[in-house]
Amino acid sequence: MTTRSGIGYPSSLKGRITMMFVVLAVLMEGLLLFYWMRILGPRLEAGVESSIRSLAQSQSLALAAQLSGSDVDQNQIVRFMDHMLLLKDPATQTPLVLAVKLEMDYDAVDAEPGSLDLVRRAAAGTDYQIRGYAAEVPIFSRETRELLGIATFYGSKAFLQKVKRDVTIGFFWGIVCILLLLFLSWWIVILLLRPLNTLANTLRRSGGDVQESLPQLKGVVSEEIWLVKTALDELFCRIGDYTSDLASLNVILATQQETSLDAILVLDRNGRRLLCNRRFSEMWSMPKDTEVSKVDGQDLDLVLERIKKPDPFKAQILHLHAHPEKKSHGELVLADGRIIDHYSSPMLDPDRNHLGRVWYFRDITQRKQMQKGLEMFRFTIDNAPDAVFWMDGEGRFTYVNEQACRSLGYTRNELEKLYLWDIDPVYPREKHFNDWEQFRKGIPIENKQIETLHKRKDNSIFPTDVVSRQMWFDDTPLHVSFVRDISERKQAEDELRQLRNYLSNIIDSMPSVLVGVDSQGRVTHWNRQAEQVTGISSDQAVKKPLDTVFAQLKGKMEDLRTSIRDRRVVSSSKVSRKVDQDIRYEDITIFPLMTNGVEGAVIRVDDVTEHVHMEEMMIQSEKMLSVGGLAAGMAHEINNPLAAMLQTANVLGNRLTTSFHIPANQRAADAAGITLEGIEHFMEARGIHRMLNAITTSGLRVAEIVNNMLSFARKGDEDPSSTSHHLNELLDKTLELAATDYDLKKQYDFKKIKIIKQYADNLPGVPCQATKIQQVFLNIFGNGAQAMQSEGIESPQFIISTYVDSTGNKACVEIEDNGPGMDETTRKKIFDPFFTTKPQGVGTGLGLSVSYFIITENHGGEMIVESQPGAGAKFIIRLPMSPVQS
């Protein structure tokens, strides 16, 4: 590795890596800055300016509507301009429009010159020409398309400035983070290269010879041979007269004790060590030259101090010293945890003389551990919560644990005499024998897990989950089964299944569409209403992306992700969609799932079309009430001058006639030099009395029409069950109202329509609300008249019939016209709310719907229509003649 002093830091590996990080950081920052300045920034600014121009276009249309009138109100224009200045950017809470400037052409606008050259600012002193986008929009008249003037809108740059400021801050923190990452990476490289530098320096100092740095192994010469030789020399000194056969025997014995797995210690009658093998020294970690002294010697502590509880063993040694003819056996637990099995026996000559004692020690720690492990395994198996069965090839149990006995009600001895099919009668014997034969032939058998039924000793049946495996133990094939009683689990599953079915039935019975989705937008639940709305079954929809199976919700995927991410409810009201030829309205609510770690959402879609229609009907009803109130006010205003006119005509007739002999008239005639007879002769000759009578008759006719309008406009609070009205009279009053429709609509003259009345004589009164019934009649007359006028019927006519039905319980009204009629599709929808065949802006589609509601719901009657194309239409109304309880 080249050092820093040889080539220089920039050329070293650390320098190159550091320079690489620097270049990458600078390159990334440069690319981001280039992308912002040349692509993203201009696009963002163009988008903001485009939004301002779109806003200006939409507002100029509304401003054009204000300036197209015949009398332009400056204050109203100012209020409209100030209203535009209240629009704020949701991100910065600053005005979207800083200022609005008007420059008008007063040749085209009905206003004083200079009165509408206005400038309105969002805040006093705002330099809108610098801080805003200028968007000039021409304003054209809505009727003549004539240029009325120029409106200049100054849009705010606050949003763009905020974005630029956020991007600048983002670049700053990006540079800081990259510098920190660069520093950490450089430091990690130094740490990684430091051991390599150390190794390289070591090799360089040693000239590359690593072997010289390795330690040399030195052998240690054992003294065991010398000890054996010393023991043998002492033995040979004592038995110098023994034969060579005895010497050979001693050699054999010495070799045997050295190769023995037991630690051997031989003591003389005085308790001194005669010999010990290598295993003894290793077991007790004793020096080779240490002798075991007498019982009361201090060297005994070298042995006793290694025993965990030395006092019992010391007492045993004293007891054997006092009784040298006895043998001993026991176990010792050492301080380091080892377990030693010991056995001692006296050495006696043929004459039974005590020569010493031989001790044997064996380390049984591993055996004890294995024995304890086996006991723990047996204890664990016997106390396991699952039943364990071992079987042979015949299907007979060779071992069962306690749980197996408890679950089946047998003792262990009883179970070990039974076969598999004694407790599992449904399991086929042939399958067991076939699997066993394949296993013995070496064919692999996979582990099996099945659910089956087991039979107890009392013949009761319970469900079980069985996991079985066939294996070899040494050379013995073995079949092991683990059996668990799943009665509680089955019961819980049944309860869970019932609960799931119960909840599923509740969800499926709801009139709302309920769709469950996971965090990826895949369908997890699909109720019956969703199937009916989409025509897609639950099996087809589950696990599919929501936007592919529910096209109506494709535009709500972003709301779905927002709800899951922010864990909040997202709702949309009155979302419209077209179904065939109808417009339906829906409330869409997205509920996030936020419990037990489950991520997803539930989407609820409610059809609120009827609710929306009801709201619009209420709005229309309020409008009708307002119109009724206006008509009532106008009627009252007409009544006042009408009363004065009638009274004046009456007084004028009284004063210009001699029939009443009023003294004041005579005095006035005498003063004027004329006679009352001459005046009356003049009035008869000129027809003045006939004119006064015509004025009175016409005034009374107007008064009757006004009273009829007041009666119709008055709110119907009367109880239909307590007030009866004659349908013939209500029809006549309604016809009188309809006859004035020309003055209101300017589209047709109702008076030109021929009315054919076929009223029943002596038709009894019907309990009803007169104003509401008149409203029904007026809606039918109005629709029929408009239909006949729009089709250009030359001799339009209505045939109005009243009669009592065959049961004598209902009064019937038939209104038939000779208009264009209607097809079957139109006839079926004629009473639907907001259904109309008229052009947009002419009809609301509520007239006949409200009429149908009044007849069927308010009065308990019937209302039907009979019609064919080109054959006119006949509306039939049946009202009960006895009060109906609402």
Side-chain angles (χ1 to χ4, degrees):
M1 178 176 179
T2 304
T3 61
R4 185 182 303 180
S5 59
I7 297 180
Y9 178 71
S11 300
S12 65
L13 181 58
K14 293 184 290 184
R16 288 195 293 272
I17 293 177
T18 304
M19 292 301 297
M20 179 182 69
F21 280 111
V22 172
V23 172
L24 288 176
V26 172
L27 183 60
M28 290 175 61
E29 286 292 329
L31 290 175
L32 291 174
L33 184 61
F34 175 80
Y35 179 73
W36 165 252
M37 295 180 61
R38 299 300 301 272
I39 299 176
L40 185 59
R43 287 184 180 179
L44 181 62
E45 186 168 3
V48 173
E49 186 173 1
S50 177
S51 299
I52 294 299
R53 292 188 178 277
S54 299
L55 177 65
Q57 290 287 349
S58 62
Q59 296 298 324
S60 65
L61 294 177
L63 189 59
Q66 300 287 338
L67 296 171
S68 298
S70 59
D71 187 10
V72 180
D73 188 357
Q74 179 185 16
N75 294 329
Q76 187 175 1
I77 299 300
V78 170
R79 286 195 300 271
F80 180 79
M81 295 170 66
D82 290 341
H83 177 71
M84 287 189 287
L85 299 179
L86 296 177
L87 300 175
K88 292 187 176 181
D89 179 18
T92 60
Q93 293 300 315
T94 58
L96 284 174
V97 180
L98 295 176
V100 181
K101 180 179 179 182
L102 288 182
E103 297 179 359
M104 305 306 300
D105 184 1
Y106 294 97
D107 294 335
V109 179
D110 186 11
E112 292 293 330
S115 62
L116 298 180
D117 290 338
L118 305 173
V119 177
R120 305 297 296 178
R121 296 188 178 94
T126 302
D127 192 356
Y128 56 86
Q129 294 182 348
I130 296 177
R131 298 178 58 192
Y133 294 101
E136 292 186 354
V137 181
I139 302 175
F140 295 96
S141 172
R142 298 184 63 179
E143 288 79 10
T144 63
R145 305 304 298 169
E146 183 182 5
L147 179 65
L148 302 178
I150 301 295
T152 304
F153 295 82
Y154 294 90
S156 173
K157 291 185 179 181
F159 174 74
L160 182 62
Q161 292 173 352
K162 180 180 183 302
V163 172
K164 289 182 176 179
R165 183 170 61 255
D166 293 342
V167 170
T168 303
I169 295 173
F171 272 109
F172 172 76
W173 285 111
I175 293 174
V176 172
C177 293
I178 291 176
L179 291 176
L180 290 176
L181 179 62
L182 177 64
F183 176 76
L184 292 175
S185 302
W186 178 77
W187 185 251
I188 291 173
V189 169
I190 291 177
L191 292 178
L192 293 175
L193 294 180
R194 181 176 296 172
L196 298 178
N197 284 329
T198 303
L199 178 61
N201 293 332
T202 302
L203 292 175
R204 186 170 57 254
R205 287 195 301 270
S206 62
D209 188 1
V210 182
Q211 298 298 328
E212 295 181 0
S213 303
L214 299 177
Q216 302 296 327
L217 299 177
K218 297 181 180 180
V220 179
V221 179
S222 175
E223 298 180 357
E224 294 178 355
I225 299 176
W226 180 82
L227 294 175
V228 173
K229 180 179 180 299
T230 302
L232 290 175
D233 288 343
E234 292 180 358
L235 181 61
F236 289 153
C237 291
R238 294 179 183 180
I239 59 172
D241 54 347
Y242 285 4
T243 63
S244 59
D245 293 337
L246 184 58
S248 299
L249 181 60
N250 285 330
V251 173
I252 294 173
L253 291 174
T255 303
Q256 184 179 4
Q257 73 180 13
E258 287 299 325
T259 58
S260 174
L261 294 177
D262 295 335
I264 302 174
L265 175 65
V266 180
L267 302 177
D268 62 8
R269 66 171 58 91
N270 296 320
R272 290 193 298 267
R273 183 175 66 186
L274 294 178
L275 61 90
C276 67
N277 64 352
R278 182 182 58 187
R279 180 62 179 158
F280 178 80
S281 300
E282 292 174 351
M283 180 181 293
W284 296 100
S285 303
M286 297 183 66
K288 303 295 186 296
D289 56 352
T290 302
E291 293 184 355
V292 179
S293 60
K294 293 182 179 180
V295 176
D296 56 353
Q298 296 180 355
D299 292 339
L300 185 60
D301 295 339
L302 294 176
V303 175
L304 296 177
E305 69 183 5
R306 289 169 174 78
I307 302 174
K308 188 174 184 180
K309 295 181 179 180
D311 292 339
F313 185 60
K314 184 176 181 179
Q316 186 179 15
I317 293 176
L318 293 175
H319 179 74
L320 292 175
H321 185 68
H323 304 85
E325 73 283 359
K326 290 187 176 182
K327 299 179 180 181
S328 68
H329 180 262
E331 294 180 359
L332 299 175
V333 180
L334 304 188
D336 59 5
R338 289 180 297 166
I339 302 175
I340 305 298
D341 181 77
H342 66 86
Y343 172 78
S344 71
S345 177
M347 293 186 300
L348 303 175
D349 61 8
D351 297 332
R352 307 293 298 176
N353 294 320
H354 180 65
L355 300 178
R357 181 173 292 276
V358 179
W359 288 86
Y360 297 92
F361 300 92
R362 175 171 293 186
D363 191 343
I364 60 172
T365 305
Q366 188 175 4
R367 188 185 74 186
K368 283 289 186 180
Q369 291 176 349
M370 292 179 62
Q371 182 179 355
K372 185 176 181 181
L374 182 59
E375 292 175 354
M376 292 182 62
F377 173 75
R378 188 67 175 265
F379 176 81
T380 303
I381 293 296
D382 283 340
N383 292 275
D386 295 338
V388 180
F389 298 87
W390 294 359
M391 289 175 289
D392 58 16
E394 299 298 324
R396 184 174 179 176
F397 299 126
T398 59
Y399 168 79
V400 293
N401 68 344
E402 292 295 332
Q403 179 61 27
C405 299
R406 287 193 297 268
S407 63
L408 296 172
Y410 292 97
T411 64
R412 180 167 295 180
N413 292 332
E414 290 173 337
L415 265 179
E416 291 178 352
K417 296 177 182 179
L418 300 179
Y419 292 85
L420 170 62
W421 29 89
D422 292 329
I423 67 170
D424 191 355
V426 300
Y427 190 81
R429 301 186 186 187
E430 294 79 9
K431 181 171 178 57
H432 173 78
F433 293 133
N434 292 337
D435 291 346
W436 188 263
E437 187 63 26
Q438 291 181 5
F439 176 68
R440 290 182 64 87
K441 291 180 180 179
I443 301 176
I445 304 296
E446 296 182 355
N447 297 345
K448 299 178 181 178
Q449 183 173 3
I450 60 173
E451 290 187 3
T452 184
L453 298 176
H454 278 184
K455 182 174 68 174
R456 296 188 179 93
K457 186 177 181 179
D458 59 3
N459 292 326
S460 61
I461 303 298
F462 64 98
T464 59
D465 182 82
V466 180
V467 179
S468 60
R469 181 180 182 184
Q470 292 167 329
M471 65 186 74
W472 290 92
F473 181 73
D474 292 337
D475 295 332
T476 304
L478 185 64
H479 185 109
V480 181
S481 294
F482 299 90
V483 181
R484 174 170 294 181
D485 186 348
I486 58 174
S487 301
E488 294 182 357
R489 192 187 79 185
K490 283 294 184 181
Q491 182 179 0
E493 288 177 354
D494 292 340
E495 293 177 354
L496 181 61
R497 188 180 302 107
Q498 293 176 3
L499 178 60
R500 185 181 293 113
N501 293 335
Y502 179 69
L503 293 177
S504 179
N505 290 334
I506 292 177
I507 293 174
D508 286 340
S509 63
M510 294 182 65
S512 304
V513 173
L514 288 180
V515 179
V517 295
D518 59 15
S519 58
Q520 303 299 322
R522 292 186 295 266
V523 176
T524 59
H525 189 82
W526 192 264
N527 75 337
R528 186 174 294 113
Q529 185 66 19
E531 294 179 349
Q532 295 176 358
V533 171
T534 62
I536 299 174
S537 66
S538 177
D539 295 337
Q540 295 174 333
V542 171
K543 297 184 180 179
K544 299 292 181 60
L546 177 63
D547 53 356
T548 62
V549 295
F550 208 138
Q552 295 92 317
L553 298 178
K554 189 173 184 180
K556 295 296 178 181
M557 297 304 295
E558 185 60 32
D559 291 345
L560 174 62
R561 288 187 284 269
T562 300
S563 177
I564 297 175
R565 182 182 64 249
D566 299 342
R567 295 189 174 185
R568 62 183 178 87
V569 178
V570 177
S571 60
S572 302
S573 300
K574 301 177 184 177
V575 179
S576 62
R577 66 183 180 93
K578 191 171 184 179
V579 179
D580 295 333
Q581 298 299 322
D582 298 332
I583 301 297
R584 310 296 296 179
Y585 296 91
E586 296 170 336
D587 285 349
I588 302 175
T589 308
I590 304 174
F591 302 92
L593 298 177
M594 300 176 290
T595 58
N596 298 327
V598 178
E599 290 190 358
V602 175
I603 304 173
R604 174 178 173 180
V605 181
D606 295 301
D607 190 336
V608 294
T609 305
E610 298 299 328
H611 179 71
V612 172
H613 288 172
M614 187 61 66
E615 288 181 349
E616 295 183 358
M617 289 177 63
M618 293 176 63
I619 294 174
Q620 189 68 18
S621 177
E622 291 295 331
K623 290 182 178 179
M624 293 300 294
L625 289 176
S626 299
V627 172
L630 180 62
M634 293 175 61
H636 282 294
E637 293 297 327
I638 293 173
N639 268 338
N640 292 331
L642 182 61
M645 181 184 68
L646 291 176
Q647 184 178 3
T648 302
N650 189 27
V651 171
L652 184 62
N654 293 336
R655 291 185 179 184
L656 295 178
T657 183
T658 59
S659 301
F660 298 98
H661 303 287
I662 300 174
N665 291 346
Q666 185 64 46
R667 288 194 299 271
D670 295 340
I674 59 177
T675 64
L676 291 177
E677 290 76 7
I679 294 174
E680 185 169 3
H681 179 72
F682 172 80
M683 293 180 64
E684 288 290 342
R686 297 296 299 165
I688 294 178
H689 286 298
R690 179 178 53 82
M691 295 179 185
L692 291 177
N693 291 334
I695 291 174
T696 303
T697 302
S698 298
L700 292 175
R701 173 65 176 164
V702 171
E704 184 179 358
I705 294 174
V706 169
N707 289 333
N708 200 359
M709 290 178 61
L710 282 174
S711 176
F712 180 74
R714 189 175 296 114
K715 185 177 180 181
D717 293 332
E718 58 182 339
D719 185 1
S721 63
S722 61
T723 306
S724 296
H725 298 276
H726 292 281
L727 295 180
N728 295 344
E729 295 179 0
L730 295 180
L731 284 168
D732 290 339
K733 290 182 178 180
T734 305
L735 288 172
E736 292 177 1
L737 285 176
T740 63
D741 206 11
Y742 175 83
D743 296 332
L744 298 175
K745 297 293 183 179
K746 298 293 185 179
Q747 293 182 355
Y748 56 85
D749 189 357
F750 192 87
K751 295 178 181 179
K752 294 181 179 180
I753 299 175
K754 183 179 180 181
I755 306 299
I756 301 175
K757 300 180 182 180
Q758 298 177 353
Y759 293 166
D761 296 333
N762 300 321
L763 184 70
V766 176
C768 63
Q769 290 179 290
T771 56
K772 290 186 177 181
I773 298 300
Q774 281 185 273
Q775 181 180 352
V776 173
F777 294 156
L778 190 61
N779 286 333
I780 296 175
F781 290 143
N783 285 335
Q786 291 180 11
M788 290 185 290
Q789 186 272 340
S790 62
E791 293 296 325
I793 303 300
E794 294 183 358
S795 301
Q797 68 178 14
F798 281 114
I799 300 176
I800 306 173
S801 304
T802 60
Y803 58 91
V804 178
D805 68 350
S806 58
T807 63
N809 297 325
K810 292 184 178 181
C812 303
V813 177
E814 293 184 1
I815 303 176
E816 182 179 0
D817 60 44
N818 61 342
M822 64 189 81
D823 55 24
E824 184 65 17
T825 301
T826 303
R827 189 190 69 80
K828 290 181 178 180
K829 295 183 177 181
I830 196 68
F831 297 124
D832 291 347
F834 303 98
F835 176 79
T836 179
T837 58
K838 301 173 184 177
Q840 185 176 4
V842 177
T844 62
L846 288 174
L848 292 179
S849 174
V850 173
S851 299
Y852 184 83
F853 183 85
I854 291 173
I855 297 299
T856 58
E857 297 296 330
N858 292 126
H859 294 84
E862 301 176 15
M863 183 174 181
I864 60 175
V865 60
E866 298 176 355
S867 179
Q868 292 182 356
K874 179 192 291 186
F875 287 87
I876 303 173
I877 299 172
R878 299 185 180 96
L879 295 174
M881 300 179 66
S882 58
V884 177
Q885 297 296 329
S886 59

